[in-house]
């Protein structure tokens, strides 16, 4: 069921991407000027806009997002384990939540 739903979803979004009109270049330039996203996919828009490259790092941003998600989910499951009296599991998940939260914060501080 999972494979079928992933396959169907992929077919639908790829079809939609090719059948709908592209985003106007002016809208992309306005977005780039406001947000300045990192990554090589923005090279042509950056060149057209004349703005400098983003000071952010795409790999660091992805690391921060993954660590942030891990921190939130670990804290959530640690709370549940604590409520159900699973102290050892709660402690392990709490340590994971704190560690990934620290990595997330340090990564974000380095970026900006």
């Amino acid at each position: 069921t999972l494979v079928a739903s992933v396959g169907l979803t992929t077919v639908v979004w790829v079809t939609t991407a090719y059948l709908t009109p592209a985003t106007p270049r002016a809208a992309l330039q306005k977005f780039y000027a406001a947000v300045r996203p990192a990554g090589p996919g923005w090279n042509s828009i950056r060149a057209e806009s004349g703005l400098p490259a983003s000071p952010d790092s795409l790999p660091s941003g992805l690391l921060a997002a993954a660590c942030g998600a891990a921190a939130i989910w670990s804290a959530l499951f640690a709370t549940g384990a604590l409520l159900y009296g699973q102290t050892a599991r709660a402690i392990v998940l709490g340590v994971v939540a704190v560690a990934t939260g620290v990595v997330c914060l340090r990564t974000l501080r380095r970026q900006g």
Side-chain angles (χ1 to χ4, degrees), residues 57-102:
S57 163
L58 186 59
S60 292
L62 293 173
L63 174 64
C67 287
I72 290 168
W73 282 99
S74 297
L76 177 69
F77 286 120
T79 303
L82 193 61
L83 291 173
Y84 282 109
Q86 300 169 343
T87 309
R89 179 176 287 172
I91 290 170
V92 169
L93 288 168
V95 168
V96 170
V98 170
T100 53
V102 167

Side-chain angles (χ1 to χ4, degrees), residues 2-110:
L2 177 63
V3 172
S5 64
V6 168
L8 179 63
T9 302
T10 302
V11 167
V12 169
W13 76 257
V14 168
T15 302
T16 302
Y18 280 104
L19 293 179
T20 56
T23 304
R25 300 293 281 188
L28 293 173
Q29 290 172 349
K30 184 177 178 182
F31 175 80
Y32 184 82
V35 178
R36 301 258 313 275
W42 291 97
N43 287 343
S44 65
I45 299 298
R46 182 176 55 249
E48 291 172 16
S49 69
L51 294 171
S54 173
D56 297 334
S57 163
L58 186 59
S60 292
L62 293 173
L63 174 64
C67 287
I72 290 168
W73 282 99
S74 297
L76 177 69
F77 286 120
T79 303
L82 193 61
L83 291 173
Y84 282 109
Q86 300 169 343
T87 309
R89 179 176 287 172
I91 290 170
V92 169
L93 288 168
V95 168
V96 170
V98 170
T100 53
V102 167
V103 171
C104 178
L105 290 174
R106 285 186 178 177
T107 303
L108 290 173
R109 282 190 187 133
R110 253 186 278 138

